[in-house]
Amino acid sequence: MPTVNAYAAQDATTPLAPFQIERRDLRPNDVQIEILFSGVCHSDIHQARSEWGPGLYPMVPGHEIVGRVTAVGGQVQGFKPGDLAGVGVLIDSCQDCPSCAEGLEQYCENGHTTTYNSRERDSGNLTFGGYSSSIVVREEFVLRVPESLDLKAVAPLLCAGITMYSPLRHWKIGPGHRVAIVGLGGLGHMGIKLAAALGAEVTLFTTSQSKAADAMRLGAHHVIISSDPAAMKAARTSFDFILSTVPTSHDLAPYLRTLKLGGQLVIVGAIDPVGVHGGLLISHRRSVSGSNIGGLTETQEMLDFCAEHGIVADIELIDMQDINAAYERMVRNDVKYRFVIDMASLGGEAAAD
Ligand SMILES: [Zn+2]
Ligand SMILES: [Zn+2]
């Protein structure tokens, strides 16, 4: 098995550090990808630090992967060496349940396999993510990356982008819809870009006046300071759809009041949805829903949509060696809007196979 360079957390409390991992030998339906860029998602920090329950160590985070195919198994049809390729949050699922049959692998009823902090379905080996020089993934979970986009800024589309795109598409957001995005971070900035490109009239809810100008630059039409009671009152019953990107439990009631009749509020984090009073729902037939990333078919559709509309993430490129400092800055919300690791800084294969 090829040994490759990576950065790993050895437990929940020590910083990430250089580490060598083994990637599996190619199976007939496998694609081997040299990783060029790896986005840094907030969930990387949560998992590396076991903030979502005990993590599996050693852990190599990273699930926003863009790279180039270096080898394929004998049965691979859709990729050849030299092609660009992407890998997101999922690398496997049962491929057999009703959700998988619909292309909704993120809702696999037998449990999907994530790119890291998970175990391979058959071998039980730990999965290792994108903070590494290469990865091997079965073809069905590899995405085609458009050559026309800025590759380093494409990486965050694989998690942040699809997490925003999937609910916007599921609820058929388009021209004539008034959409609000709550929070301007890695997710929120993609939500603004995608909702605007879909033709919606987009408002950002933020607590920070300093983010207003940036929101407009990203494509928002309006900004509402959510800590301003008068502004929140003026916005009552005005939105068709609200997408909350806030990663912590927060009071949804003020936002629910801004939904019009039949409006939908969608959360994308495993948060406690505080303030969902029945009165707020039944008075305007409002709904609260959740959404989790997207399936492979929809993720490909999102990448193609982004190519068509020239959409990528706003990123800050870092070296692999900067990852621990980047985590500290992310915890302080000090990034516009996604760190992406230039994997050339890590160095290539550690040893021949
Ligand atoms: Zn993510
Ligand atoms: Zn399944």
Coordinates of all heavy atoms in Angstrom, one line a residue, residues 283-325:
S283 N -49.5 30.2 13.1 CA -50.1 31.4 12.7 C -49.9 31.8 11.2 O -50.7 32.5 10.6 CB -49.6 32.6 13.5 OG -48.2 32.7 13.3
H284 N -48.8 31.2 10.6 CA -48.5 31.5 9.2 C -48.1 30.2 8.5 O -47.4 30.3 7.5 CB -47.4 32.5 9.1 CG -47.8 33.9 9.5 ND1 -47.9 34.2 10.9 CD2 -48.2 35.0 8.8 CE1 -48.2 35.5 11.0 NE2 -48.4 36.0 9.8
R285 N -48.5 29.1 8.9 CA -48.2 27.8 8.3 C -46.7 27.7 8.0 O -46.3 27.3 6.9 CB -49.1 27.5 7.1 CG -49.2 26.0 6.8 CD -49.6 25.8 5.3 NE -51.0 26.1 5.1 CZ -51.5 26.5 3.9 NH1 -50.7 26.6 2.9 NH2 -52.8 26.8 3.8
R286 N -45.9 28.1 8.9 CA -44.5 28.1 8.7 C -43.9 26.7 9.1 O -44.5 26.0 9.9 CB -43.8 29.1 9.6 CG -44.2 30.6 9.3 CD -43.8 31.5 10.5 NE -43.9 32.9 10.1 CZ -44.4 33.8 11.0 NH1 -44.8 33.4 12.2 NH2 -44.5 35.1 10.6
S287 N -42.7 26.4 8.5 CA -42.0 25.2 8.8 C -40.6 25.4 9.2 O -40.0 26.4 8.7 CB -42.0 24.3 7.5 OG -43.3 24.1 7.1
V288 N -40.1 24.5 10.0 CA -38.6 24.5 10.3 C -38.1 23.1 9.8 O -38.7 22.1 10.1 CB -38.3 24.6 11.8 CG1 -36.9 24.5 12.0 CG2 -38.9 26.0 12.2
S289 N -37.1 23.1 9.0 CA -36.5 21.9 8.5 C -35.0 21.9 8.6 O -34.4 22.9 8.9 CB -36.8 21.7 7.0 OG -38.2 21.8 6.7
G290 N -34.4 20.7 8.4 CA -33.0 20.6 8.4 C -32.5 20.0 7.1 O -33.3 19.3 6.4
S291 N -31.2 20.2 6.8 CA -30.7 19.7 5.5 C -29.2 19.4 5.8 O -28.5 20.1 6.5 CB -30.8 20.8 4.4 OG -30.3 20.4 3.2
N292 N -28.8 18.3 5.2 CA -27.4 17.8 5.4 C -26.7 17.7 4.1 O -27.1 16.9 3.2 CB -27.4 16.4 6.1 CG -26.1 15.9 6.5 OD1 -25.1 16.7 6.7 ND2 -26.0 14.6 6.6
I293 N -25.6 18.4 3.9 CA -24.8 18.5 2.6 C -25.6 18.2 1.4 O -26.7 18.8 1.2 CB -23.5 17.6 2.7 CG1 -23.8 16.2 3.4 CG2 -22.4 18.3 3.5 CD1 -22.7 15.2 3.3
G294 N -25.2 17.3 0.5 CA -26.0 16.9 -0.7 C -25.5 15.6 -1.2 O -24.4 15.1 -0.8
G295 N -26.3 14.9 -2.0 CA -25.8 13.7 -2.6 C -24.8 14.0 -3.8 O -24.6 15.1 -4.1
L296 N -24.3 12.9 -4.3 CA -23.3 13.0 -5.3 C -23.8 13.6 -6.6 O -23.2 14.5 -7.2 CB -22.7 11.6 -5.6 CG -21.5 11.3 -4.7 CD1 -20.3 12.2 -5.0 CD2 -21.8 11.3 -3.3
T297 N -25.0 13.3 -7.0 CA -25.6 13.8 -8.3 C -25.8 15.3 -8.1 O -25.5 16.1 -9.0 CB -27.0 13.1 -8.5 OG1 -26.8 11.7 -8.6 CG2 -27.6 13.7 -9.8
E298 N -26.3 15.7 -6.9 CA -26.6 17.1 -6.7 C -25.3 17.9 -6.5 O -25.2 19.1 -6.9 CB -27.5 17.3 -5.5 CG -28.1 18.7 -5.4 CD -29.1 18.8 -4.3 OE1 -28.9 18.4 -3.2 OE2 -30.3 19.2 -4.6
T299 N -24.3 17.3 -5.9 CA -23.0 18.0 -5.8 C -22.4 18.2 -7.2 O -21.8 19.3 -7.4 CB -22.1 17.2 -4.9 OG1 -22.7 16.9 -3.7 CG2 -20.8 17.9 -4.6
Q300 N -22.5 17.3 -8.1 CA -22.0 17.5 -9.4 C -22.8 18.6 -10.1 O -22.2 19.5 -10.8 CB -22.1 16.2 -10.3 CG -21.5 16.3 -11.6 CD -19.9 16.5 -11.5 OE1 -19.3 15.7 -10.9 NE2 -19.4 17.7 -12.0
E301 N -24.1 18.6 -9.9 CA -25.0 19.7 -10.5 C -24.5 21.0 -10.0 O -24.4 22.0 -10.7 CB -26.4 19.4 -10.1 CG -27.4 20.5 -10.6 CD -28.8 20.3 -9.9 OE1 -29.4 19.2 -10.0 OE2 -29.3 21.3 -9.4
M302 N -24.2 21.1 -8.6 CA -23.7 22.3 -8.0 C -22.4 22.8 -8.7 O -22.2 24.0 -9.0 CB -23.6 22.1 -6.5 CG -23.1 23.3 -5.7 SD -21.3 23.4 -5.6 CE -20.8 21.8 -5.0
L303 N -21.5 21.9 -8.9 CA -20.2 22.3 -9.5 C -20.4 22.8 -10.9 O -19.8 23.8 -11.3 CB -19.2 21.1 -9.5 CG -18.6 20.7 -8.1 CD1 -17.9 19.3 -8.2 CD2 -17.7 21.7 -7.6
D304 N -21.3 22.1 -11.6 CA -21.5 22.6 -13.0 C -22.3 23.9 -13.0 O -22.0 24.8 -13.8 CB -22.4 21.5 -13.7 CG -21.6 20.2 -13.9 OD1 -20.4 20.2 -13.8 OD2 -22.3 19.2 -14.1
F305 N -23.2 24.1 -12.0 CA -23.9 25.4 -11.9 C -22.8 26.5 -11.6 O -22.9 27.6 -12.1 CB -24.9 25.3 -10.7 CG -25.6 26.6 -10.5 CD1 -26.8 26.9 -11.2 CD2 -25.2 27.4 -9.4 CE1 -27.5 28.1 -10.9 CE2 -25.9 28.6 -9.2 CZ -27.0 29.0 -9.9
C306 N -21.9 26.2 -10.7 CA -20.9 27.2 -10.3 C -20.0 27.5 -11.5 O -19.6 28.7 -11.7 CB -20.0 26.7 -9.1 SG -21.0 26.8 -7.6
A307 N -19.7 26.5 -12.3 CA -18.9 26.8 -13.5 C -19.6 27.7 -14.5 O -19.1 28.7 -15.0 CB -18.5 25.5 -14.2
E308 N -20.9 27.4 -14.6 CA -21.8 28.2 -15.5 C -21.8 29.7 -15.1 O -21.9 30.6 -15.9 CB -23.1 27.6 -15.6 CG -24.1 28.1 -16.6 CD -25.5 27.4 -16.4 OE1 -25.5 26.2 -16.1 OE2 -26.5 28.1 -16.6
H309 N -21.9 29.9 -13.8 CA -22.1 31.2 -13.2 C -20.8 31.8 -12.7 O -20.8 32.9 -12.1 CB -23.1 31.2 -12.1 CG -24.5 30.9 -12.6 ND1 -25.4 31.8 -13.0 CD2 -25.1 29.7 -12.9 CE1 -26.5 31.2 -13.4 NE2 -26.4 29.9 -13.3
G310 N -19.7 31.2 -12.8 CA -18.4 31.7 -12.4 C -18.3 31.9 -10.9 O -17.7 32.8 -10.4
I311 N -18.9 30.9 -10.1 CA -18.9 31.0 -8.7 C -17.9 30.2 -8.0 O -17.8 29.0 -8.3 CB -20.3 30.6 -8.1 CG1 -21.4 31.6 -8.6 CG2 -20.3 30.5 -6.6 CD1 -22.8 31.1 -8.3
V312 N -17.1 30.8 -7.2 CA -16.2 30.0 -6.3 C -16.2 30.7 -4.9 O -16.9 31.7 -4.7 CB -14.7 30.1 -6.8 CG1 -14.5 29.3 -8.1 CG2 -14.2 31.5 -7.0
A313 N -15.5 30.1 -4.0 CA -15.5 30.6 -2.6 C -14.5 31.8 -2.5 O -13.6 31.9 -3.3 CB -15.1 29.5 -1.6
D314 N -14.6 32.6 -1.6 CA -13.6 33.6 -1.2 C -12.7 33.0 -0.2 O -13.1 32.5 0.9 CB -14.2 34.9 -0.6 CG -14.9 35.8 -1.6 OD1 -15.3 35.2 -2.6 OD2 -15.1 37.0 -1.3
I315 N -11.4 32.9 -0.6 CA -10.5 32.1 0.3 C -9.2 32.8 0.6 O -8.9 33.8 0.0 CB -10.2 30.7 -0.5 CG1 -9.3 31.0 -1.7 CG2 -11.4 30.0 -0.8 CD1 -8.1 30.1 -1.8
E316 N -8.6 32.2 1.6 CA -7.2 32.6 2.0 C -6.4 31.3 1.9 O -6.6 30.4 2.6 CB -7.2 33.2 3.4 CG -5.9 33.7 3.8 CD -5.9 34.4 5.2 OE1 -7.0 35.0 5.6 OE2 -4.9 34.4 5.9
L317 N -5.4 31.4 1.0 CA -4.6 30.2 0.8 C -3.5 30.1 1.9 O -2.8 31.1 2.2 CB -3.9 30.2 -0.6 CG -3.3 29.0 -1.1 CD1 -4.4 27.9 -1.3 CD2 -2.5 29.2 -2.4
I318 N -3.3 28.9 2.5 CA -2.3 28.7 3.5 C -1.5 27.5 3.2 O -1.8 26.7 2.4 CB -2.9 28.5 4.9 CG1 -3.8 27.3 5.0 CG2 -3.7 29.8 5.4 CD1 -4.3 26.9 6.4
D319 N -0.3 27.4 3.9 CA 0.5 26.2 3.8 C 0.0 25.2 4.9 O -0.6 25.6 5.9 CB 2.0 26.5 4.1 CG 2.6 27.3 2.9 OD1 2.0 27.2 1.8 OD2 3.7 27.9 3.1
M320 N 0.3 23.9 4.6 CA -0.1 22.9 5.6 C 0.4 23.2 7.0 O -0.3 22.9 8.0 CB 0.4 21.5 5.0 CG -0.1 20.4 5.8 SD -1.8 19.9 5.6 CE -2.6 20.5 7.1
Q321 N 1.6 23.7 7.0 CA 2.3 24.0 8.3 C 1.6 25.1 9.1 O 1.8 25.2 10.3 CB 3.7 24.4 8.1 CG 4.6 23.3 7.5 CD 4.4 23.1 6.0 OE1 3.8 23.9 5.3 NE2 4.9 21.9 5.5
D322 N 0.7 25.8 8.5 CA -0.1 26.9 9.1 C -1.4 26.5 9.7 O -2.2 27.3 10.3 CB -0.4 28.0 8.1 CG 0.9 28.6 7.5 OD1 1.9 28.6 8.2 OD2 0.8 29.1 6.4
I323 N -1.7 25.2 9.7 CA -3.0 24.7 10.0 C -3.5 25.0 11.4 O -4.6 25.4 11.7 CB -3.2 23.2 9.7 CG1 -4.7 22.8 9.8 CG2 -2.3 22.3 10.6 CD1 -5.6 23.4 8.8
N324 N -2.6 24.9 12.4 CA -3.0 25.1 13.8 C -3.3 26.5 14.0 O -4.3 26.9 14.7 CB -2.0 24.5 14.7 CG -1.8 23.0 14.6 OD1 -2.8 22.3 14.8 ND2 -0.7 22.5 14.3
A325 N -2.5 27.4 13.4 CA -2.8 28.9 13.6 C -4.1 29.2 12.9 O -4.9 30.0 13.3 CB -1.7 29.7 13.0

